[in-house]
Amino acid sequence: MGTSARRYYGAVEAGGTKFVCAVGDETGRLLVEDRFATSDPVPTIATMIATLHRLAGGFGPLTAIGLGSFGPLELRREAPCYGHILETPKPGWSGTDIAGALAREFRVPIGFDTDVNGAALAEHRWGSSQNIEDLVYLTIGTGIGGGAIVGGRLVHGLMHPEVGHLYPRKHPRDADFAGVCPFHGDCLEGLASGPAIIARCGRSFEALPPEHLQWEIEADYLAQLCASLVLTLSPRRIVLGGGVMNQTRLMPMIRARLQHWLGGYLRREELLGEIDAFVVPPRLGAHAGILGALALALHAL
Amino acid sequence: MGTSARRYYGAVEAGGTKFVCAVGDETGRLLVEDRFATSDPVPTIATMIATLHRLAGGFGPLTAIGLGSFGPLELRREAPCYGHILETPKPGWSGTDIAGALAREFRVPIGFDTDVNGAALAEHRWGSSQNIEDLVYLTIGTGIGGGAIVGGRLVHGLMHPEVGHLYPRKHPRDADFAGVCPFHGDCLEGLASGPAIIARCGRSFEALPPEHLQWEIEADYLAQLCASLVLTLSPRRIVLGGGVMNQTRLMPMIRARLQHWLGGYLRREELLGEIDAFVVPPRLGAHAGILGALALALHAL
């Protein structure tokens, strides 16, 4: 094989609602992509493998595969359950060996991490946060998740960040809502995810008019999440993605409420006059997730 | 100078209540130490410099000096205010160029960081968390602060962790207490620091009997802080120090309430059966702060 031979990488974004599979290259270009709805683990994993084979068929063997998954995940390579999805609110999926299934089938290096750690890596490599060594990527959709890069490296410790399960203070107009998280009730995911909006308002966020009170409550909760991140991970940028953020009224309200919750304590221009560059949308937009998986494939080598 | 020549390092722990100055060596041994009460910045800094000169006099020139200070601090070397204390609740101290004062006087490398980042480094190097690359050190005293190491490195991003200003949910038996933080009222520092205990109970924590309800409230707030850290920085160990932790009833109550707040979501043995090794006291005890400053001096070279 000459040095000019092109290499192809597989990418899988494993979400609670849908799976996206793709083949891409090391420049962050997606050459082909397909998606399907998430069902039970066995048929979903079979479809994932068949889809990757089909997509790769047009190009050649895959050099590596990146898998960004909903979590929580076992990411410690020395652990017996490395590659598994752990106890998860997603019914039926706890204990699924998702990375192992790919490794056994394709026998190439598998880059495995949370979907949001992958998306953080993609925004860092190709998107909104190039040259920013400390950032958090949040997705607000079926669930609420956050990936984090500190000092240029993905955060892995005992586990990985699970910021969707922080508890915000209840909004005064939301005192009676118990939340929908099966583990915590009214944690952030329980109060501000897509399913939480349906439970509170009786309809999906896509159907809510921009002037609905829901958006003020939503912005307040997401701003509390951003404030907690500023005070712990100390990012230089927070990237807010996911379907719920398609409501464009949210972004400026979140920035204003973040300043409210910080209470003038951290007098950094980045958090004051320059806050529009501190809390930003993903530059990779809806592709942050699948490009995250591609970035994980490159990271695996 | 021969290779066997001994090197001496200065160390300053700049606290809101007292300053500790010391001279030590690269093995983490403190050779001499002195302390004095914190007053206004000008006389305090003059005493700090005079004390260091006096202590060093018995040994020889200092190779470097480490300064661990209460915060928030400007730690970005490229910033015009590098080395300054920023806007702080401590009256009179906002804007003090504390590291610059040392650098101008001694003309040696100055290792400068938060007192708690220093203590985290000392526990990592010589104490409870050797070989643990992801840890948080918390101090619960005049204020509440946390230092963090992620992937073996101190966390610095836009600033540094400021976890004492996270908002916990109010304890049901504490609903009427407004808190004492001048910026946030009832953030963690406002609800669970030494001054908060005095404001709520009318006496210092040293004077409270172990069976006092205060300790249950205190443990609940500190457990919420630990849960927030697990979900963001993902440490493999949390070290709890500071004067308030001298009440030995607290530690087991905090561990139990941490499990309560995590709600069984993260099913890691470290957070379940092995939690006694996850939330621990500092092995360096009351010396964690000044040894942190010594570790910062070594870190500066």
Side-chain angles (χ1 to χ4, degrees):
Chain A
M1 186 170 77
T3 52
S4 64
R6 224 167 139 191
R7 292 184 171 207
Y8 301 101
Y9 300 86
V12 178
E13 179 189 6
T17 306
K18 68 175 194 299
F19 270 53
V20 184
C21 298
V23 171
D25 66 19
E26 67 282 351
T27 69
R29 198 152 68 99
L30 295 171
L31 305 166
V32 61
E33 183 185 312
D34 201 1
R35 58 191 61 205
F36 54 93
T38 308
S39 62
D40 291 333
V42 171
T44 302
I45 285 176
T47 308
M48 167 181 82
I49 286 172
T51 304
L52 270 182
H53 275 305
R54 181 167 49 77
L55 295 179
F59 298 98
L62 300 174
T63 300
I65 300 173
L67 169 60
S69 177
F70 67 90
L73 306 175
E74 178 56 87
L75 297 177
R76 295 174 303 179
R77 290 197 169 266
E78 72 278 13
C81 291
Y82 173 76
H84 290 226
I85 295 174
L86 299 170
E87 199 79 14
T88 170
K90 175 87 181 156
W93 280 82
S94 298
T96 300
D97 182 12
I98 188 167
L102 276 181
R104 283 188 293 275
E105 176 70 21
F106 288 90
R107 306 202 170 274
V108 296
I110 307 292
F112 178 53
D113 214 316
T114 61
D115 46 4
V116 281
N117 261 351
L121 200 59
E123 286 287 331
H124 179 53
R125 205 181 259 247
W126 301 307
S128 63
S129 305
Q130 296 172 53
N131 306 316
I132 293 199
E133 303 296 306
D134 304 277
L135 68 129
V136 176
Y137 175 92
L138 295 173
T139 182
I140 323 296
T142 309
I144 295 184
I149 292 178
V150 167
R153 296 189 299 185
L154 288 168
V155 173
H156 299 126
L158 179 63
M159 307 222 11
H160 47 73
E162 276 286 341
V163 303
H165 297 276
L166 290 165
Y167 284 96
R169 286 204 173 164
K170 291 296 282 285
H171 189 280
R173 301 287 295 271
D174 196 37
D176 296 333
F177 181 53
V180 300
C181 174
F183 289 94
H184 308 106
D186 56 3
C187 67
L188 272 154
E189 187 164 297
L191 291 171
S193 62
I197 295 173
I198 293 177
R200 186 191 290 111
C201 307
R203 47 190 159 157
S204 167
F205 62 87
E206 288 100 338
L208 284 178
E211 66 279 9
H212 197 287
L213 170 67
Q214 165 64 32
W215 297 115
E216 278 174 45
I217 296 173
E218 182 77 12
D220 184 63
Y221 288 142
L222 297 179
Q224 289 190 60
L225 171 53
C226 292
S228 296
L229 298 172
V230 168
L231 295 168
T232 51
L233 288 157
S234 197
R236 290 171 189 264
R237 183 159 291 167
I238 297 175
V239 185
L240 280 174
V244 172
M245 291 304 301
N246 289 339
Q247 172 52 258
T248 55
R249 239 195 109 199
L250 271 178
M251 187 65 84
M253 290 200 296
I254 292 168
R255 291 174 181 140
R257 292 300 291 171
L258 169 58
Q259 293 177 325
H260 164 83
W261 282 103
L262 291 176
Y265 177 55
L266 304 175
R267 303 191 71 78
R268 271 291 158 71
E269 204 42 44
E270 290 88 339
L271 300 171
L272 301 170
E274 298 168 7
I275 195 158
D276 290 1
F278 184 78
V279 182
V280 302
R283 192 179 299 167
L284 305 175
H287 289 97
I290 187 64
L291 285 170
L294 181 58
L296 291 172
L298 297 166
H299 211 60
L301 296 177
Chain B
M1 187 170 77
T3 52
S4 64
R6 227 170 138 190
R7 291 185 171 206
Y8 300 101
Y9 300 86
V12 178
E13 179 189 5
T17 306
K18 67 176 192 298
F19 270 54
V20 184
C21 298
V23 172
D25 65 20
E26 67 282 351
T27 69
R29 198 152 67 100
L30 295 172
L31 306 166
V32 62
E33 183 184 313
D34 201 0
R35 57 190 62 205
F36 54 92
T38 308
S39 62
D40 291 334
V42 171
T44 302
I45 285 176
T47 307
M48 167 181 82
I49 287 172
T51 304
L52 270 182
H53 275 304
R54 180 165 50 76
L55 296 178
F59 299 98
L62 299 174
T63 300
I65 300 172
L67 169 60
S69 177
F70 67 90
L73 306 174
E74 178 58 87
L75 297 177
R76 296 175 302 179
R77 288 196 171 270
E78 72 279 12
C81 290
Y82 173 77
H84 290 224
I85 295 174
L86 298 170
E87 199 79 14
T88 171
K90 175 88 181 157
W93 280 81
S94 297
T96 300
D97 182 13
I98 187 166
L102 277 181
R104 283 187 293 275
E105 176 71 21
F106 288 91
R107 307 202 168 273
V108 296
I110 307 292
F112 177 53
D113 213 316
T114 61
D115 45 3
V116 280
N117 262 351
L121 199 59
E123 286 288 330
H124 179 53
R125 205 180 257 246
W126 300 307
S128 64
S129 305
Q130 296 172 52
N131 306 316
I132 292 198
E133 303 296 304
D134 304 277
L135 69 129
V136 177
Y137 175 93
L138 295 173
T139 182
I140 323 296
T142 309
I144 294 183
I149 292 178
V150 167
R153 295 189 299 184
L154 288 168
V155 173
H156 298 128
L158 179 63
M159 307 224 7
H160 46 72
E162 276 286 341
V163 303
H165 297 277
L166 290 164
Y167 284 96
R169 287 202 174 167
K170 291 295 283 284
H171 189 281
R173 302 288 294 271
D174 196 38
D176 296 334
F177 180 53
V180 300
C181 175
F183 289 94
H184 307 107
D186 57 3
C187 66
L188 273 155
E189 186 163 297
L191 290 172
S193 62
I197 296 173
I198 293 177
R200 186 191 289 111
C201 307
R203 49 192 160 154
S204 166
F205 62 87
E206 288 100 337
L208 284 179
E211 66 278 10
H212 196 287
L213 170 68
Q214 164 64 34
W215 297 116
E216 280 175 44
I217 296 173
E218 181 77 13
D220 184 64
Y221 289 141
L222 297 179
Q224 290 190 59
L225 171 53
C226 291
S228 296
L229 298 172
V230 168
L231 296 167
T232 52
L233 289 157
S234 197
R236 290 171 189 264
R237 184 159 289 166
I238 296 175
V239 185
L240 281 174
V244 172
M245 291 305 299
N246 289 337
Q247 173 51 257
T248 55
R249 239 194 109 200
L250 270 178
M251 187 65 85
M253 291 200 296
I254 292 168
R255 291 175 181 139
R257 292 300 292 170
L258 168 58
Q259 293 177 326
H260 163 83
W261 281 104
L262 291 175
Y265 178 56
L266 303 175
R267 303 190 70 78
R268 271 291 157 70
E269 205 40 45
E270 290 89 338
L271 300 171
L272 301 169
E274 298 168 7
I275 196 159
D276 290 2
F278 184 78
V279 182
V280 302
R283 192 179 297 166
L284 306 174
H287 289 97
I290 188 64
L291 284 170
L294 180 58
L296 291 172
L298 297 166
H299 211 59
L301 295 178

